[in-house]
Amino acid sequence: MEMIDAPEPVITRPDEVKMKLAAIGVCGSDIHYYAEGKIGSQVVEYPFPVGHECSGVIVEVGKQVSRLKVGDLVVVDPSVHCGYCDQCLAGRPHTCRNNKFLGCPGQIDGCLGEYLVMPEFTCFPVNESLNRQQAALIEPLSIGVYAVKLAQCANREDTAIFGAGPIGLSILMKLIADGFEHITMIEPLKYRLEKAGEIGAGVLIDPGMDDVKSKVQEEFKELIDVVFEASGEQEAVDNALEILKPGGKLVLVGIPPDAKYTFNMDLMRRKELTVINVRRQNHCVEEAIDLVRSGKIDAEKMVTHHFKLEQTANAFDLVEGYKDGVIKAMIDFN
C-alpha cells in the first residue's frame, strides 16, 4: 500500500455532491482485498483505492441537489443502485442488477483519500446529532441492524453470535437495543470476548478453550434459536449447526476467505434448519442513525485505534494481523 497524489474528484452529474472526508473505518472486506487480493470473484488490480465506511463534510453540490447543502456532515451509504431494475423496483436496491459499490474493484474507487464524489441519495445529513466518528460507524452498524431484521427473531428467543469483530459487535448492540437478554458470544480472541461482555453479552465462550456445544448446553438445555455467523470461519459454521435447536435459524454474515462453506446436511435436514444470507444492508441506514442518535447504541465502543491518512498502511497491517487488541481502526481527518 502506498499514498500517491491524485487529481481531486469533480462533480460530473447534477445529482452529485462532493465532500471532504471526515472519518474512515477500516473494514474486514478492505482487509480481504489487501491481504488476499480478492473477495470471491471480485479481484483487485493494482493500483486501486479501497474503503467504504466513511463520513464527510459537503463542500460542493450539483445543480439538482435539493436535500443537502455545503457544510453538512453526512453518513455515506456506499451502495449506488440504479433504481429501475427488477431488484430495485422490488425494494431490494442492495441486490440491484447494476449496483456499484464504493471501494469495490471495477465499480467505484474507494474513499481512502481526501475528497469523494457520490450521488445525493447515498448521503444522509447528521450535522449536530452525530460526530464524525459516529457517522462513519453507521455503515458497519447498519449491517448488524439488517442482519437482526432479516432473522425476524422475537426477544424471548435465545441468540448466539460467532465473531466479536465490528460486525459481530454491531449485531450484539442491535439485539441489546431490541431487548434481547440471553445472548451468547463465541470468540477465540480474549480481548474481543471481553469487549462483548462489556457491551452486554451474557454468555462468553472461547472455542479454543471450551467445547462450544457443551458450554451452550450448560446455559440453554434446548439449545439456541438463532445463530449469527460473523467470523467467516468454517469451524464457526460447524459449531453453529451443533448448537441450533430444531427449527432454528443460521444467519450468515461473515465472508469466508475461500468464498465457500460446507454444511453437515444430515444435521441440517434432521433439525430442519433455515439458512439466511445477509447481503450488506437494505433500508437500514436511517434506523442505525436513529439508534446512535437516541443513545440506544454506542457504536464508538468498538473503536480501539486511530490513525492519520498517511498512516493508513499501518492501520491495515494492524487490522490484518489482529495486533495490539485491535477491533475497529479509524482514519481521522482534521
Side-chain angles (χ1 to χ4, degrees):
M1 179 176 282
E2 64 178 336
M3 178 176 284
I4 63 171
D5 287 320
E8 192 171 308
V10 297
I11 289 176
T12 59
R13 293 168 44 127
D15 64 340
E16 291 179 334
V17 298
K18 178 178 176 179
M19 70 194 76
K20 183 171 176 55
L21 274 298
I24 300 171
V26 179
C27 175
S29 62
D30 299 332
I31 299 301
H32 279 292
Y33 288 132
Y34 178 61
E36 298 145 28
K38 64 179 182 178
I39 296 178
S41 60
Q42 296 171 322
V43 180
V44 175
E45 291 187 13
Y46 187 86
F48 180 74
V50 294
H52 61 270
E53 299 179 3
C54 63
S55 63
V57 176
I58 302 297
V59 295
E60 185 182 349
V61 298
K63 293 181 179 180
Q64 292 181 4
V65 171
S66 60
R67 195 170 47 83
L68 301 172
K69 64 182 185 302
V70 171
D72 281 345
L73 173 66
V74 296
V75 168
V76 178
D77 179 352
S79 183
V80 180
H81 58 272
C82 71
Y84 56 79
C85 72
D86 64 318
Q87 294 297 293
C88 288
L89 295 177
R92 297 180 53 87
H94 62 311
T95 54
C96 168
R97 305 282 187 178
N98 307 296
N99 183 259
K100 295 186 183 301
F101 197 81
L102 189 62
C104 190
Q107 297 181 27
I108 306 175
D109 283 0
C111 63
L112 273 168
E114 293 177 293
Y115 292 92
L116 178 68
V117 171
M118 291 290 282
E120 180 188 25
F121 73 81
T122 66
C123 299
F124 298 77
V126 290
N127 293 328
E128 302 303 319
S129 61
L130 299 185
N131 63 40
R132 295 178 171 206
Q133 180 171 278
Q134 290 171 323
L137 291 167
I138 292 300
E139 198 279 334
L141 179 60
S142 68
I143 296 172
V145 171
Y146 183 50
V148 174
K149 180 180 178 180
L150 273 184
Q152 294 184 323
C153 42
N155 59 18
R156 70 179 185 280
E157 294 181 313
D158 299 320
T159 59
I161 305 165
F162 283 86
I167 299 301
L169 294 179
S170 294
I171 294 167
L172 173 62
M173 289 187 284
K174 169 58 175 170
L175 288 170
I176 292 171
D178 284 354
F180 285 77
E181 297 179 352
H182 306 296
I183 308 170
T184 299
M185 179 63 76
I186 302 102
E187 166 61 57
L189 296 177
K190 182 180 179 181
Y191 71 91
R192 292 190 172 194
L193 197 60
E194 290 175 349
K195 175 63 72 172
E198 291 171 15
I199 291 174
V203 180
L204 306 177
I205 299 174
D206 178 349
M209 299 290 291
D210 300 304
D211 179 77
V212 174
K213 185 177 180 181
S214 297
K215 292 294 289 186
V216 167
Q217 281 188 310
E218 289 177 11
E219 302 288 338
F220 309 98
K221 184 179 179 181
E222 296 181 342
L223 301 177
I224 302 292
D225 295 284
V226 182
V227 172
F228 297 88
E229 200 300 294
S231 71
E233 297 294 331
Q234 179 64 52
E235 183 181 354
V237 170
D238 295 339
N239 279 319
L241 300 185
E242 293 285 348
I243 67 173
L244 277 164
K245 64 174 58 173
K249 300 174 185 177
L250 172 58
V251 186
L252 298 176
V253 195
I255 300 174
D258 296 325
K260 293 180 181 179
Y261 287 126
T262 60
F263 298 91
N264 181 338
M265 288 306 302
D266 180 61
L267 192 57
M268 286 186 70
R269 181 176 58 83
R270 290 179 185 279
K271 286 188 175 183
E272 198 180 53
L273 300 177
T274 297
V275 178
I276 299 170
N277 286 289
V278 176
R279 171 67 166 171
R280 297 171 180 159
Q281 67 86 16
N282 186 25
H283 298 302
C284 290
V285 171
E286 290 176 298
E287 181 179 350
I289 291 171
D290 289 341
L291 286 166
V292 175
R293 179 188 287 132
S294 66
K296 291 182 179 179
I297 285 181
D298 182 359
E300 291 178 287
K301 284 184 176 180
M302 70 175 83
V303 178
T304 54
H305 292 73
H306 294 269
F307 295 86
K308 296 180 180 179
L309 182 62
E310 57 267 26
Q311 299 172 313
T312 297
N314 303 90
F316 272 59
D317 285 336
L318 187 83
V319 177
E320 195 271 332
Y322 296 92
K323 301 172 184 175
D324 194 34
V326 67
I327 298 177
K328 172 61 72 176
M330 301 295 296
I331 310 299
D332 300 317
F333 295 77
N334 295 327

